Amino acid sequence: LYGINVVVFTNDTNTMRVSRGFGFTDQRIIHYNEYGLPFLKYLFLDAMKVSKTKLYTYINADIFCEYQDSSSS
């Protein structure tokens, strides 16, 4: 995808299946705080293990991205 390596962090198996369908890499979220929220530091460290690049960014997809299945329209 335009030289961009997308790594999707989730523990939801359906999200993993969909992300693989788009050719993205999926990773399970391992490190959480006491509220069940992932530590951003470890998301970046884990992304660096599976994708070697000079630039890493973060998008909170449940806020930023909206997916609409066009087959249901």
Side-chain angles (χ1 to χ4, degrees):
L1 179 69
Y2 305 105
I4 297 171
N5 301 320
V6 177
V7 181
V8 177
F9 287 93
T10 184
N11 290 333
D12 179 74
T13 55
N14 187 52
T15 302
M16 290 176 183
R17 182 184 55 78
V18 171
S19 68
R20 289 178 192 153
F22 282 107
F24 302 156
T25 301
D26 60 83
Q27 293 287 299
R28 289 200 174 270
I29 302 169
I30 300 171
H31 303 281
Y32 295 93
N33 66 18
E34 65 270 21
Y35 304 105
L37 301 172
F39 285 111
L40 192 57
K41 169 186 173 178
Y42 292 104
L43 298 182
F44 277 103
L45 291 173
D46 291 343
M48 290 176 188
K49 291 177 186 175
V50 298
S51 180
K52 304 297 181 198
T53 185
K54 293 180 181 181
L55 176 67
Y56 296 87
T57 62
Y58 171 82
I59 296 174
N60 194 352
D62 63 334
I63 296 170
F64 185 74
C65 303
E66 182 177 331
Y67 174 74
Q68 182 176 7
D69 186 358
S70 60
S71 66
S72 64
S73 301

